[in-house]
């Protein structure tokens, strides 16, 4: 889409207007077909510019208004600002200053709402122009001064020159000569620097007006003649007509009727060559008092009749044009109404189809959700059954394990009782052993002590040579040894008896 628009712009810049128009139509058709609103707006805006360049104002107005309507419907602020600005500029261009001013002020408000600079110098310049042509000079000056500030900020000398010239012209209308001369002087310096002869001529003309206002006759004439020279050299028809007319009126005011007639007739020939009836009407009206002052009432009457003819023609044309505009507006409203009805019918059918599609889609979704829910329920039930079986098996295993543990606990308790009984029995055995050892120790200690005593006595009697005592001791020792030999069997008998 954007590529098609770019190709159209390239074709237009190369002078291939038919190809540019064909590409714009293709872009619009494609955007409408795929319901691409942004593409439709861009295409309509470029088509509007194309129709403006080709003086097809009705088609241009229709494209720009449709672009604005779509941008308002979709709520795209950027595209809406662009459409409002383009349509406002167009209304200003065709002389509908009130509508143009309304849309351009809305553009400024939209820029402010978007957090952007609402006082962009190009926008301020267009708003000022609307105020100027509506003869609201105070507001025109206010906005031109804003435009001047912006142009200075962005160093746009071409725009700055134009705004300074307009300010000088407006202050000239307000008879504030000093301010007018200040702005015109600045405008002239920039125009000379840029070599913009198309601006130098009008600047000289307005400087002539200011000098005339100040009563500086020769200075005014010099400025007017400089303007004539530049405009004649470069064939700036509009500027030349304005300067001729200004010279005619100024010389009339000075009483220089011959010079006034020369410039007035030049204005008339220029207006006639351009077939501009408004110019012809104005210059005819200027010529009437000149011929009267020169004593030529016949020519004065002739130009008065021409003035009336052109005035009536313009008036009738304005009435006819106004009637045509009203007729066009009526036809357009009827056409728009039919289109709206068709759109409403199509929209109703589309909505009905959309509702049916939505209903069918909802039914499909409901069926899919139902099947999905049923499958989910089945899976959930299977999961619950599996979980129940698993829990049941686990419970049975736990139950068996608990029983096994209970049996093991009972067995362990029995074993513990047996171990305890064995422990008690062993304790008794240990106690008996200790008692036996005590008895054995006691019973062994006495014979051992006796043996020691007998040995000591035998040693003593041997040393003394007492044989009888020794024999007696030997008999006692023999008896004690016999008793000691009988001691272990007796201890064992006692132990077994225990």
């Amino acid at each position: 889409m954007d590529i098609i628009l770019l190709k159209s712009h390239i074709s237009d810049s190369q002078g291939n207007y038919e190809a540019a128009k064909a590409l714009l139509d293709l872009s619009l058709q494609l955007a409408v077909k795929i319901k691409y609103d942004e593409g439709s707006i861009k295409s309509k805006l470029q088509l509007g510019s194309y129709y403006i360049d080709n003086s097809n104002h009705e088609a241009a107005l229709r494209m720009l208004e449709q672009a604005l309507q779509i941008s308002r419907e979709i709520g795209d602020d950027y595209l809406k600002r662009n459409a409002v600005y383009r349509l406002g500029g167009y209304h200003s261009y065709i002389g509908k200053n009130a509508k143009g001013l309304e849309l351009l002020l809305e553009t400024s408000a939209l820029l402010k709402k978007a957090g952007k600079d609402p006082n962009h110098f190009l926008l301020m310049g267009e708003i000022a122009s609307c105020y100027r042509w509506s003869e609201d000079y105070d507001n025109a000056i206010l906005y031109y001064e804003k435009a001047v500030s912006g142009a200075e900020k962005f160093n746009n000398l071409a725009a700055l020159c134009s705004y300074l010239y307009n300010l000088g012209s407006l202050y000239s209308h307000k008879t504030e000569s000093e301010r007018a001369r200040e702005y015109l002087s600045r405008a002239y310096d920039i125009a000379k620097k840029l070599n913009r002869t198309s601006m130098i001529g009008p600047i000289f003309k307005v400087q002539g007006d200011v000098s005339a206002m100040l009563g500086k006759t020769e200075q005014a004439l010099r400025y007017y003649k400089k303007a004539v020279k530049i405009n004649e050299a470069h064939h700036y028809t509009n500027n030349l007509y304005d300067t001729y007319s200004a010279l005619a009126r100024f010389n009339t005011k000075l009483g220089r009727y011959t010079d006034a007639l020369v410039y007035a007739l030049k204005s008339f020939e220029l207006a006639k060559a351009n077939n501009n009836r408004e110019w012809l009407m104005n210059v005819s009206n200027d010529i009437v008092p000149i011929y009267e002052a020169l004593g030529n009432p016949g020519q004065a009457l002739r130009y008065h009749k021409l003035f009336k003819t052109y005035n009536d023609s313009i008036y009738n044309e304005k009435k006819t044009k106004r009637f045509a505009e009203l007729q066009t507006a009526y036809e357009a409203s009827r056409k728009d109404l039919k289109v709206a009805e068709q759109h409403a019918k199509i929209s109703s059918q589309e909505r009905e189809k959309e509702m049916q599609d939505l209903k069918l889609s909802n039914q499909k979704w409901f069926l899919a959700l139902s099947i999905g829910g049923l499958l989910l329920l089945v899976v959930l039930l299977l999961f619950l059954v599996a979980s129940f079986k698993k829990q049941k098996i686990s419970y049975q295993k736990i139950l068996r394990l608990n029983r096994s543990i209970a049996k093991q606990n009972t067995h362990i308790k029995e074993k513990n009782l047996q171990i305890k009984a064995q422990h008690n029995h062993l304790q008794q055995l240990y106690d008996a052993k200790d008692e036996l050892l005590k008895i054995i120790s006691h019973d062994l200690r006495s014979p051992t002590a006796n043996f020691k005593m007998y040995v000591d006595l035998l040693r003593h009697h041997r040393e003394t040579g007492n044989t009888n005592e020794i024999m007696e001791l030997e008999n006692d020792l023999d008896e004690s040894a016999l008793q000691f030999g009988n001691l272990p069997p007796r201890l064992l008998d006692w132990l077994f008896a225990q």
Side-chain angles (χ1 to χ4, degrees):
M1 183 76 64
D2 292 334
I3 295 174
I4 296 175
L5 292 174
L6 179 60
K7 287 183 177 179
S8 171
H9 179 72
I10 293 170
S11 298
D12 185 72
S13 64
Q14 293 174 345
N16 193 351
Y17 304 118
E18 292 183 1
K21 174 67 165 52
L23 287 168
L24 287 173
D25 289 336
L26 175 62
S27 173
L28 180 59
Q29 291 171 7
L30 182 61
V32 171
K33 185 175 181 180
I34 64 176
K35 297 182 179 180
Y36 180 39
D37 292 328
E38 184 178 344
S40 295
I41 294 169
K42 291 179 179 178
S43 300
K44 287 178 183 292
L45 288 175
Q46 287 205 27
L47 276 168
S49 299
Y50 171 83
Y51 287 129
I52 291 171
D53 293 339
N54 288 273
S55 301
N56 190 344
H57 299 301
E58 183 181 349
L61 185 61
R62 186 173 65 254
M63 286 294 112
L64 294 175
E65 286 180 341
Q66 288 176 1
L68 177 57
Q69 182 181 355
I70 297 171
S71 67
R72 291 190 192 280
E73 288 173 356
I74 67 174
D76 189 308
D77 290 337
Y78 171 76
L79 292 173
K80 182 166 67 175
R81 287 199 309 273
N82 196 2
V84 170
Y85 175 68
R86 297 279 286 278
L87 186 58
Y90 174 69
H91 277 294
S92 174
Y93 172 73
I94 61 176
K96 295 183 178 180
N97 296 304
K99 186 62 177 178
L101 181 61
E102 176 189 340
L103 291 167
L104 291 171
L105 289 172
E106 182 183 351
T107 304
S108 180
L110 289 171
L111 285 169
K112 185 176 182 180
K113 181 181 177 183
K116 301 182 181 298
D117 182 12
N119 298 321
H120 191 279
F121 69 93
L122 293 175
L123 177 60
M124 296 298 100
E126 293 205 41
I127 293 173
S129 296
C130 287
Y131 277 123
R132 179 178 184 178
W133 300 122
S134 300
E135 298 184 357
D136 185 348
Y137 297 137
D138 290 334
N139 274 318
I141 288 172
L142 174 65
Y143 279 92
Y144 272 130
E145 286 177 345
K146 290 182 179 181
V148 165
S149 298
E152 287 176 334
K153 180 180 177 182
F154 289 95
N155 196 31
N156 191 318
L157 295 180
L160 180 60
C161 180
S162 175
Y163 300 146
L164 290 170
Y165 162 74
N166 279 287
L167 279 168
S169 179
L170 285 168
Y171 278 115
S172 172
H173 278 290
K174 289 172 67 66
T175 66
E176 294 185 27
S177 56
E178 292 302 319
R179 299 295 297 277
R181 292 175 69 180
E182 175 192 347
Y183 285 115
L184 289 170
S185 177
R186 290 176 62 190
Y188 175 75
D189 290 340
I190 297 172
K192 191 174 180 181
K193 181 179 180 180
L194 298 176
N195 195 27
R196 291 194 65 183
T197 54
S198 61
M199 287 297 302
I200 293 174
I203 290 170
F204 280 146
K205 186 265 177 187
V206 178
Q207 284 179 327
D209 292 340
V210 174
S211 297
M213 181 175 60
L214 293 171
K216 298 180 179 181
T217 303
E218 296 305 319
Q219 188 182 68
L221 288 172
R222 282 199 302 271
Y223 278 126
Y224 283 140
K225 288 177 180 179
K226 284 181 180 180
V228 168
K229 184 178 180 180
I230 290 175
N231 291 327
E232 284 180 342
H234 294 89
H235 305 289
Y236 297 140
T237 305
N238 290 356
N239 296 338
L240 189 58
Y241 168 80
D242 288 339
T243 310
Y244 282 155
S245 298
L247 273 167
R249 287 191 290 272
F250 184 58
N251 279 293
T252 301
K253 185 178 178 181
L254 294 174
R256 301 177 181 179
Y257 299 112
T258 303
D259 290 340
L261 183 60
V262 170
Y263 288 114
L265 290 175
K266 285 185 177 181
S267 296
F268 187 84
E269 291 301 322
L270 197 61
K272 191 175 180 181
N274 285 275
N275 194 28
N276 191 316
R277 283 176 296 171
E278 189 170 351
W279 288 1
L280 288 166
M281 178 190 71
N282 291 330
V283 73
S284 296
N285 194 44
D286 290 339
I287 291 174
V288 171
I290 296 173
Y291 273 120
E292 286 178 344
L294 291 173
N296 193 339
Q299 286 291 77
L301 179 60
R302 174 172 171 259
Y303 278 100
H304 181 70
K305 288 180 179 179
L306 286 173
F307 166 74
K308 289 289 291 180
T309 300
Y310 290 127
N311 186 46
D312 292 342
S313 174
I314 291 170
Y315 175 74
N316 290 332
E317 182 184 4
K318 287 182 177 178
K319 284 182 65 177
T320 304
K321 186 177 179 181
R322 180 59 180 163
F323 177 77
E325 287 178 353
L326 292 172
Q327 184 70 22
T328 302
Y330 173 70
E331 294 295 334
S333 64
R334 285 187 61 188
K335 185 177 179 181
D336 290 341
L337 182 61
K338 287 182 179 179
V339 170
E341 288 176 352
Q342 291 175 355
H343 278 267
K345 186 176 180 181
I346 292 170
S347 299
S348 176
Q349 293 174 350
E350 288 179 349
R351 282 197 297 271
E352 186 176 352
K353 186 175 181 300
E354 287 176 359
M355 289 296 294
Q356 291 176 352
D357 292 341
L358 181 61
K359 187 176 180 181
L360 181 61
S361 176
N362 289 338
Q363 289 176 349
K364 289 180 179 178
W365 273 106
F366 179 75
L367 180 61
L369 288 173
S370 299
I371 293 172
L374 184 61
L375 290 174
L376 182 63
L377 183 61
V378 170
V379 170
L380 182 61
L381 288 173
L382 290 173
F383 175 75
L384 290 174
V385 169
S387 298
F388 176 74
K389 288 182 177 180
K390 188 175 180 181
Q391 288 179 356
K392 186 177 179 181
I393 293 169
S394 299
Y395 176 74
Q396 291 175 348
K397 287 182 178 179
I398 292 170
L399 188 61
R400 287 196 296 270
L401 185 60
N402 287 337
R403 288 174 181 171
S404 175
I405 291 171
K407 289 180 180 179
Q408 290 179 0
N409 287 339
T410 303
H411 181 68
I412 289 169
K413 286 180 181 180
E414 292 175 353
K415 290 292 183 181
N416 286 338
L417 290 174
Q418 291 177 4
I419 291 169
K420 189 174 181 180
Q422 291 175 355
H423 174 71
N424 292 333
H425 180 65
L426 287 173
Q427 189 64 42
Q428 290 176 359
L429 292 176
Y430 288 144
D431 293 341
K433 180 194 71 169
D434 291 341
E435 186 66 27
L436 176 61
L437 291 175
K438 287 177 182 179
I439 293 170
I440 291 172
S441 175
H442 179 269
D443 288 345
L444 290 175
R445 191 180 295 114
S446 295
T448 304
N450 290 334
F451 285 138
K452 181 70 169 74
M453 184 183 65
Y454 285 133
V455 170
D456 290 339
L457 287 174
L458 283 172
R459 186 179 295 115
H460 175 68
H461 287 304
R462 187 180 293 120
E463 289 175 357
T464 59
N466 191 350
T467 307
N468 294 328
E469 287 297 329
I470 290 171
M471 290 178 63
E472 185 176 353
L473 286 170
E474 287 176 349
N475 291 329
D476 290 339
L477 184 58
D478 184 54
E479 186 178 354
S480 292
L482 182 62
Q483 290 179 358
F484 183 74
N486 292 328
L487 180 59
R490 282 191 288 113
L491 288 172
L492 289 172
D493 289 340
W494 176 82
L495 182 61
F496 289 138
Q498 295 300 320

